[in-house]
């Protein structure tokens, strides 16, 4: 009899955690995936769209949260169509062979005193995967959520571009609107 009571309590407690985590879908509308990189010493801005994936979120239990989000690499937009076409080629993003840039979380912690969470995960660009980590904040928008964060990566770590006129470091800024499912 005691085994059944313990099993029942475990099932209820697991059910509470599973119910608390809500599923969200990132959307292009209301989101911005932007980057800044120096080109000839001048800041060059760009963006991506084609956001897709899923987010499992429970702010009370961040260790149970999961991000699996990607963008369409062919949507790169720097405001210069000739440059954008060049960036889609093999030496840079090679969108014909690697159409998506993907991030899959491996852990979430927080929030800290400032309300920031920290996500660690695996970023894949051109079939090269690297571990990254960055802080982010979450804001409720009705039943939906907005995730905001920034991180810096080295483009050469992912085999993106060989030009010496472009900085190796670029900063990515994320504002992701996730709709409750």
């Amino acid at each position: 009899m005691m085994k059944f009571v313990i099993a029942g309590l475990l099932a209820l407690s697991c059910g509470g955690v599973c119910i608390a985590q809500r599923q969200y879908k990132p959307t292009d509308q209301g989101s911005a995936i932007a980057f800044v990189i120096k080109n000839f010493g001048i800041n060059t801005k760009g963006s991506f769209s084609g956001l897709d994936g899923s987010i499992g979120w429970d702010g009370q239990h961040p260790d149970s949260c999961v991000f699996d989000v990607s963008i369409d690499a062919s949507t790169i937009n720097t405001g210069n169509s000739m440059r954008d076409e060049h960036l889609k080629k093999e030496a840079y993003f090679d969108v014909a062979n690697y159409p998506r840039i993907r991030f899959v979380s491996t852990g979430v912690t927080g929030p800290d005193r400032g309300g920031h969470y920290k996500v660690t995960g695996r970023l894949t660009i051109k079939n090269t995967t690297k571990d990254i980590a960055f802080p982010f904040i979450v804001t409720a928008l009705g039943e939906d959520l907005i995730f905001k964060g920034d991180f810096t990566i080295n483009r050469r770590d992912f085999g993106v571009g060989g030009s010496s006129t472009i900085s190796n470091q670029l900063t990515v800024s994320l504002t992701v609107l996730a709709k409750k499912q």
Side-chain angles (χ1 to χ4, degrees):
M1 176 70 172
M2 187 58 133
K3 290 180 186 177
F4 293 114
V5 172
I6 292 172
L9 289 173
L10 286 174
L12 287 174
S13 66
C14 176
V17 171
C18 295
I19 292 169
Q21 184 190 60
R22 299 192 186 263
Q23 295 302 308
Y24 295 86
K25 177 119 178 107
T27 65
D28 271 337
Q29 186 177 13
S31 296
I33 311 302
F35 64 89
V36 176
I37 190 168
K38 289 199 182 287
N39 186 11
F40 289 108
I42 299 169
N43 279 346
T44 301
K45 297 178 181 180
S47 64
F48 289 95
S49 58
L51 205 50
D52 196 13
S54 63
I55 299 170
W57 181 255
D58 176 359
Q60 299 300 313
H61 301 95
D63 56 329
S64 72
C65 297
V66 178
F67 293 84
D68 186 348
V69 182
S70 68
I71 55 173
D72 181 347
S74 72
T75 65
I76 190 165
N77 181 359
T78 63
N80 179 320
S81 60
M82 286 178 56
R83 177 174 44 217
D84 295 345
E85 288 306 313
H86 183 68
L87 292 173
K88 292 176 187 179
K89 294 185 177 176
E90 185 179 353
Y92 287 87
F93 287 101
D94 193 6
V95 300
N97 291 308
Y98 307 105
R100 304 225 42 105
I101 296 171
R102 184 177 181 200
F103 175 78
V104 178
S105 65
T106 56
V108 178
T109 59
D112 63 15
R113 290 183 186 169
H116 290 85
Y117 292 86
K118 183 178 180 182
V119 63
T120 56
R122 314 272 293 155
L123 178 64
T124 303
I125 302 173
K126 287 181 69 173
N127 209 32
T128 299
T129 303
K130 299 287 181 182
D131 292 323
I132 66 169
F134 59 94
F136 68 95
I137 59 170
V138 182
T139 306
L141 184 65
E143 289 192 328
D144 303 330
L145 299 174
I146 297 176
F147 297 89
K148 290 186 180 185
D150 301 300
F151 60 90
T152 300
I153 59 172
N154 184 323
R155 67 181 174 89
R156 291 189 183 259
D157 288 348
F158 296 93
V160 176
S163 174
S164 61
T165 63
I166 301 172
S167 172
N168 290 338
Q169 302 296 313
L170 69 131
T171 301
V172 178
S173 297
L174 307 169
T175 300
V176 176
L177 174 61
K179 298 277 190 179
K180 184 179 174 216
Q181 297 297 290

